[in-house]
Amino acid sequence: MCLAIPGEVVEIDALRPDLATVAVSGVRRVINTGLLGDAPPAVGDWVLIHVGFALSKIDEAEAKAVLDFLDGIGQSYQDELAALKASRIE
């Protein structure tokens, strides 16, 4: 099963506006926002992320619902977060 994880945009790269830093459950990662086309995110926006790409913009309520769902499916999500925190991919 593939999951999209919500992240909050905390920074947009000034030199590469198709790259943004997002906070995902306390972990910060750089993602590509180019798939969002004419609707690039701004700092404070929420996006659904899959494999380093923002798939869509969502609102805070949708982000909370997804995070609640992920928490509900248990240890798999915790293992994914642990792997993300341990990774050296920026």
Side-chain angles (χ1 to χ4, degrees):
M1 179 169 95
C2 293
L3 297 174
I5 299 173
E8 183 177 10
V9 177
V10 295
E11 183 180 352
I12 305 292
D13 187 320
L15 299 176
R16 301 238 3 235
D18 59 329
L19 298 179
T21 300
V22 295
V24 179
S25 296
V27 178
R28 290 181 178 219
R29 287 290 185 259
V30 175
I31 63 161
N32 188 303
T33 61
L35 293 176
L36 299 178
D38 295 335
V43 171
D45 284 348
W46 286 87
V47 292
L48 275 180
I49 305 159
H50 179 68
V51 194
F53 289 87
L55 300 176
S56 64
K57 288 172 51 174
I58 59 175
D59 63 31
E60 192 170 356
E62 291 170 309
K64 182 182 179 329
V66 172
L67 289 170
D68 288 347
F69 168 76
L70 292 173
D71 283 340
I73 63 172
Q75 189 59 43
S76 296
Y77 180 58
Q78 295 306 315
D79 291 345
E80 290 290 328
L81 283 179
L84 181 65
K85 287 178 183 176
S87 74
R88 297 191 183 273
I89 299 171
E90 290 292 329

